[in-house]
Amino acid sequence: MSADEKFTLMAMLFQSFWDALDEGKAFLNSASWKHFLDLLEQDIQIHIYLVWYWSSVDMPEADLENPDYMFSISPLIRPVLLRHQGKFARH
């Protein structure tokens, strides 16, 4: 797959997991979620801005814990962002 195709597919997967979480579906211990995270980290250079977006860290510090200012999946994605935050400096 090209980088553009990987990016598009990952964006769709983010949306799908967000929808599943909002629908109350349990997936955090699933093979699908683990595979998603593996793919995300495998091509983090392609996906780092998706990680930033879905982490909802562009809100004021006081709002980081307020669910009205984030996606329900944001707290699950923030650890990935923290592991790779240095990659933003290279862009």
Side-chain angles (χ1 to χ4, degrees):
M1 279 200 219
S2 72
D4 286 343
E5 291 168 329
K6 288 179 180 183
F7 181 89
T8 301
L9 179 58
M10 190 58 67
M12 291 170 37
L13 289 171
F14 265 106
Q15 182 71 46
S16 296
F17 279 115
W18 177 38
D19 291 343
L21 189 61
D22 284 354
E23 292 170 7
K25 296 179 181 169
F27 60 81
L28 295 179
N29 294 318
S30 71
S32 298
W33 177 249
K34 289 178 177 128
H35 188 65
F36 166 77
L37 292 175
D38 288 344
L39 289 173
L40 188 62
E41 300 227 22
Q42 177 182 321
D43 287 320
I44 195 66
Q45 292 295 96
I46 296 169
H47 306 308
I48 192 67
Y49 286 100
L50 283 172
V51 171
W52 174 81
Y53 173 78
W54 285 98
S55 293
S56 297
V57 293
D58 58 342
M59 296 295 158
E61 192 66 32
D63 292 335
L64 280 178
E65 298 306 318
N66 185 337
D68 292 335
Y69 294 98
M70 71 174 101
F71 302 105
S72 55
I73 200 170
S74 296
L76 305 175
I77 300 303
R78 287 181 184 151
V80 176
L81 180 68
L82 289 174
R83 280 194 295 280
H84 298 283
Q85 63 187 359
K87 295 188 173 61
F88 283 105
R90 294 186 213 146
H91 290 279

